[in-house]
């Protein structure tokens, strides 16, 4: 398919015209009646494709505007090179129910019509944790192999500990963890994974002043925006005899 050119336009449809169109995301009878009563269709947005196909969106103008929907769908549809020829597909968009929500409709479009290529993502997260009563800066390297909804990979992180000064000398104690990670973002077209679960093992060659014996960690990381995330976890040390809860912030 050639590069897509989108020509959106707004039109009012009466109820009989709307019901005459079948949609790809129908609701059950009771939910449909509820939606039609409280959030009736008032507007239609149509995206025309050069292969004589079209995408039709039905919506309520108190919930969405044509400009907002165009801004959301236009970047996605520019990559929808698997959209069938000589076909008109219709979707109801209303956030009241999961099958008609904006994110769900966009995800279905991406899943069916956007070619997906696995990718390797590499980042260098840095941040600050509160670990066992001390603030510990953290820095590291992460590599994830991305599929459509989830990623697998790992990271190497250094939890830096500053012990008490001796004779006014500041010592830096590095604690290197090797981590296996699973990241996911189910039901969302965003490539950036907002959830990461990891399990790590302390691989220090030098003796750690913060941890001793067999030391492992488990953590959950949640993105709050493109560059910032919150991480919570727990570290077991002294051969699983001592446990430190951790909470921190990450930037990347």
């Amino acid at each position: 398919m050639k590069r897509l050119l989108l020509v959106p336009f707004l039109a009012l449809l009466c109820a009989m015209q709307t019901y005459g169109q079948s949609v790809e995301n129908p609701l059950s009878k009771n939910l449909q009646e509820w939606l039609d009563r409280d959030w009736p269709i008032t507007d239609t947005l149509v995206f025309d494709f050069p292969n004589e196909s079209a995408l039709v969106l039905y919506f309520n103008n108190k919930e969405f505007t044509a400009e907002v929907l165009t801004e959301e769908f236009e970047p996605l549809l520019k990559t929808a090179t698997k959209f069938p020829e000589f076909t008109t597909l219709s979707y109801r968009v209303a956030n009241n129910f999961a099958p008609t929500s904006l994110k769900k409709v966009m995800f279905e479009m991406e899943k069916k019509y956007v070619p997906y290529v696995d990718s390797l993502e590499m980042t260098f997260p840095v941040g600050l944790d509160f670990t066992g009563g001390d603030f510990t800066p953290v820095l590291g390297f992460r590599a994830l192999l991305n599929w459509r909804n989830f990623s697998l990979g790992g990271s190497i992180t250094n939890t830096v500990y500053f012990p008490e000064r001796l004779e006014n000398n500041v010592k830096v104690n590095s604690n290197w963890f090797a981590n296996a990670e699973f990241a996911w973002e189910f039901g969302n077209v965003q490539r950036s994974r907002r959830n990461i679960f990891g399990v790590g093992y302390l691989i220090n060659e030098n003796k750690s002043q913060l941890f001793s014996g067999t030391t492992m960690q488990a953590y959950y990381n949640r993105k709050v925006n493109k560059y910032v995330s919150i991480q919570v976890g727990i570290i077991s040390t002294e051969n699983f005899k001592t446990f430190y809860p951790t909470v921190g912030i990450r930037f990347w």
Side-chain angles (χ1 to χ4, degrees):
M1 183 183 297
K2 297 180 180 179
R3 187 176 183 272
L4 299 179
L5 299 176
L6 304 181
V7 185
F9 61 87
L10 182 63
L12 294 176
L13 295 181
C14 68
M16 293 301 294
Q17 289 175 315
T18 298
Y19 296 146
Q21 291 280 349
S22 61
V23 296
E24 301 295 317
N25 55 339
L27 298 172
S28 66
K29 182 179 179 181
N30 290 338
L31 294 182
Q32 187 67 55
E33 291 177 351
W34 184 0
L35 187 60
D36 290 338
R37 182 184 68 247
D38 294 342
W39 296 92
I41 294 172
T42 61
D43 297 273
T44 301
L45 181 64
V46 179
F47 295 92
D48 281 335
F49 295 88
N51 64 351
E52 300 186 34
S53 295
L55 171 67
V56 182
L57 301 179
Y58 300 121
F59 63 99
N60 183 286
N61 58 20
K62 292 183 178 179
E63 187 173 16
F64 300 104
T65 65
E67 291 75 17
V68 168
L69 291 177
T70 299
E71 182 179 351
E72 292 286 345
F73 276 90
E74 193 170 49
L76 172 64
L77 295 181
K78 285 181 179 179
T79 63
T81 55
K82 296 171 62 177
F83 201 91
E85 297 180 349
F86 310 106
T87 303
T88 298
L89 298 179
S90 304
Y91 285 85
R92 179 78 175 266
V93 183
N95 284 331
N96 308 79
F97 303 102
T100 60
S101 68
L102 177 61
K103 286 186 176 181
K104 179 65 173 179
V105 172
M106 292 181 66
F107 176 70
E108 289 299 318
M109 293 292 299
E110 184 203 38
K111 183 173 65 174
K112 293 179 180 179
Y113 309 118
V114 177
Y116 185 76
V117 178
D118 300 337
S119 63
L120 179 64
E121 175 186 354
M122 293 181 288
T123 55
F124 298 87
V126 296
L128 182 69
D129 282 349
F130 187 72
T131 306
D134 293 288
F135 286 102
T136 54
V138 177
L139 65 158
F141 168 77
R142 169 177 290 122
L144 294 173
L145 182 59
N146 295 326
W147 285 272
R148 187 178 292 274
N149 297 125
F150 67 93
S151 305
L152 291 175
S155 64
I156 299 291
T157 56
N158 182 13
T159 298
V160 182
Y161 172 60
F162 296 93
E164 294 183 4
R165 294 186 180 186
L166 295 177
E167 299 179 354
N168 293 325
N169 292 324
V170 178
K171 294 184 177 181
V172 177
N173 180 213
S174 295
N175 300 273
W176 292 95
F177 285 89
N179 311 292
E181 297 184 331
F182 172 74
W184 72 97
E185 186 61 31
F186 294 131
N188 196 307
V189 297
Q190 296 180 13
R191 290 295 186 213
S192 180
R193 314 304 187 195
R194 291 190 295 178
N195 306 281
I196 297 177
F197 175 75
V199 177
Y201 180 80
L202 184 68
I203 58 174
N204 273 22
E205 292 184 1
N206 299 324
K207 184 178 180 181
S208 169
Q209 294 179 268
L210 183 60
F211 309 117
S212 62
T214 300
T215 300
M216 297 189 69
Q217 68 173 349
Y219 54 89
Y220 170 71
N221 182 290
R222 171 70 177 182
K223 273 193 173 183
V224 295
N225 60 41
K226 186 177 180 180
Y227 302 107
V228 180
S229 64
I230 302 298
Q231 183 164 304
V232 295
I234 189 166
I235 298 176
S236 66
T237 188
E238 297 180 350
N239 300 322
F240 303 99
K241 294 179 182 178
T242 301
F243 295 86
Y244 295 129
T246 65
V247 60
I249 188 170
R250 295 289 185 274
F251 305 91
W252 69 76

